[in-house]
Amino acid sequence: MDTKTFTFIDLFSGIGGFRMALNNIGGTCLGFSEINKDAINTYCENFQENHNMNFGDITKLEKLPNN
């Protein structure tokens, strides 16, 4: 699939398995939410993502990003 058709936030992201599936069907990730430091580091490595794209603990999330 060449065209991105929807956006998403990867909640409880772990190391990014669900993101891989959503990317494969046309999704664009706007950010991720993870609290485990090792998982965050692996996620960022797997997707060449900056650590500041992590929203952290979703129970403290007050605003979602604009797509």
Side-chain angles (χ1 to χ4, degrees):
M1 194 174 267
D2 294 338
T3 306
K4 300 297 181 183
T5 57
F6 62 94
T7 58
F8 65 93
I9 297 171
D10 196 2
L11 301 176
F12 312 102
S13 60
I15 62 171
F18 194 62
R19 176 179 175 164
M20 290 174 63
L22 294 178
N23 283 346
N24 286 340
I25 61 170
T28 300
C29 185
L30 300 178
F32 67 101
S33 177
E34 180 57 56
I35 60 173
N36 180 281
K37 291 179 183 176
D38 292 330
I40 294 166
N41 290 334
T42 301
Y43 189 99
C44 289
E45 180 82 19
N46 285 347
F47 297 102
Q48 290 76 52
E49 196 73 76
N50 192 309
H51 280 75
N52 68 1
M53 294 302 291
N54 181 18
F55 298 116
D57 186 345
I58 64 165
T59 65
K60 295 178 176 40
L61 191 62
E62 295 181 9
K63 184 178 176 188
L64 295 175
N66 294 325
N67 58 356

